[in-house]
Each structure stands twice: as C-alpha cells, then as structure tokens.
Amino acid sequence: MENHRSAPDQAPATRAPGRRTYLMCRPAYYAVEYAINPWMDTTAPVDAARACSQWEALAATYTDLGHEVLYIEPEPGLPDMVYAANGAFVVDGIAYGARFRHPERRPEADSHEKWYRAAGRAHVKPEHTNEGEGDFTYLPGPGLILAGWGFRTDARAHAEAADVFGRQVVSLRLTDPRYYHLDTALAPLDDHNIAYYPEAFAPGSRRLLQRLFPDAILAGAEDAAAFGLNFVSDGARVVVNAEARGMAAKLSAAGYEPVPVDLSELKKGGGSVKCCTAELRP
Ligand code: ARG
C-alpha cells in the first residue's frame, strides 16, 4: 500500500471539500433511560427540547456547508435512535446493516433496513453483531475500511464487511470502555488521513495505525473526553463538538477548518457529531 503523507507543512493552502450525503434522525424520543456505556447516567436530567435544538443546528450546519441531509423517522421507545450512525455502514451505495449488541437498541436495525429498502437503496442484512458506522469507517484514497471491535462489534463482522464490499478491512481493537465505538476514538480527515486517540487502542492496533498513518493527527486524553474525535469532515471543513477546543486547534494547525457545534445534551447518551450522522457514500 502507498504511504499517504500529508504533514502540516505539506498541506495545501486550501483543502478541497466534497459534497456529502448524510442521514440523520431527530431526537424526538431521546432520553437516557438505560446505561450501556460509561457516559450514560440515568439519574442525570436530559433537556429534550435543548437536545432537539442542538440537533437542528447540526443539521443546519451541514446544509449551510452545501451537503445533502436525509432523514429517518424517529420511533417511540428507541431513545438512542438519534445516533443514526449506528444503523448501517454505507460504501459504494451498499448499506451493510447493523445488528446491535444490546437488546435495547436492536429494533433500530429494522427501522434503518426499512428506510434503505423504501428509498430503493441496496441493503445487506448482517449475520454478525455490528453497530454500523459506529465501528466502521472508510478511506477512499487507499480504499480501506477501518473497523473497531472489543466492545460492540463482533470481529467476525469485519470479515463479513470485507465480503459484502469486496474491500480490505483493517481490524482495530478498542480497549477503553469510554471509547466503545471506533468513531469515538478515530475519524477520517480526508480521503487519506485520519485523527485518532492512540490510548483507546490495544498496543498492536496502535502499531498498525502508526504504520498506516504516520502523519495522522494524534488526539490526547482531553480531546477524546470532549468527543473531539467524534467529528465529521468533508475533507476541508470539520464539524466537531464545541467543547473540543484543543482538538479544533490541532485541526486548524493541520490546515482544516473546524466548525464547532454544541451537542452537550447528546453527549449525555455517549455520542456527539459523528454518532448523529450516517454518511451515505455513493
Ligand atoms: N447511547 C448510545 C449507545 O451506547 C450511543 C451511541 C453513540 N453512537 C456512536 N456512533 N458512537 O449505543
């Protein structure tokens, strides 16, 4: 595989954004009713109206940046459905469906499957447990799928995804329960490069990431805890949780334009920008 160097000093003056299509789900029934990750505290109050306005601001940010936003209807009884990234993983116009680890979220997979089918989009039902884009992402440059396992997604789903997409999958083991999904610890910046928090990964996975992405932006403990890696980049503009100021500075220094959005209410469920956003790759 090629080595994709994009060190800050070699970064182009202006990075080129691409137009993206995102799928989102209004947090109409959002609440913290159960705790399936360390961020969720069922005794802490959630401001549902505020969660909705923060989410609306996120959707408006995408359309203002020129992206297309599609919507899936929220369903009562599925408070985590706002984290639309978990419903499937889409590359080459094919949605590889989710199969949730926890029973509380299982019905979300069917809602997403119905959405893809109704939209006339290809959808593959999975055999193995996986939480969609929460644990899978794609780098078009090298044509690589990066996949996480250790908490939610079964590593057998990585092989299943390789088979569905006919693409190489890099398996990365997550070890810190606070970073239970790959998208809480790693995110693509553009077609070739990524940002990640090394401490969230097992030593072998860290070495693998270091080999594949020698010029990655490395996040620290504070960046990760502020959900600074749960961002959505279009190759130039990076929509990132407003709390992650240190991460925003690192992105700017590397030639990207951080676009902060406040998602403090959605953080109470253990998610942020990326979790609320599924990318539909053509
Ligand atoms: N409460 C949800 C869960 O624990 C949060 C999901 C966040 N989504 C994500 N793509 N990381 O499953």
Side-chain angles (χ1 to χ4, degrees), residues 36-37 40 80 83 85-86 105 134 152 180-181 183-184 269-271 275:
I36 55 173
N37 70 57
M40 300 175 88
D80 272 339
Y83 304 112
N86 299 125
R105 296 197 68 185
R152 300 290 183 87
Y180 55 93
H181 274 145
D183 72 1
T184 62
C275 299

Side-chain angles (χ1 to χ4, degrees), residues 20-39:
R20 307 292 163 107
T21 299
Y22 299 126
L23 177 65
M24 297 182 69
C25 181
R26 169 178 297 279
Y29 306 103
Y30 172 65
V32 179
E33 291 169 359
Y34 47 80
I36 55 173
N37 70 57
W39 304 92

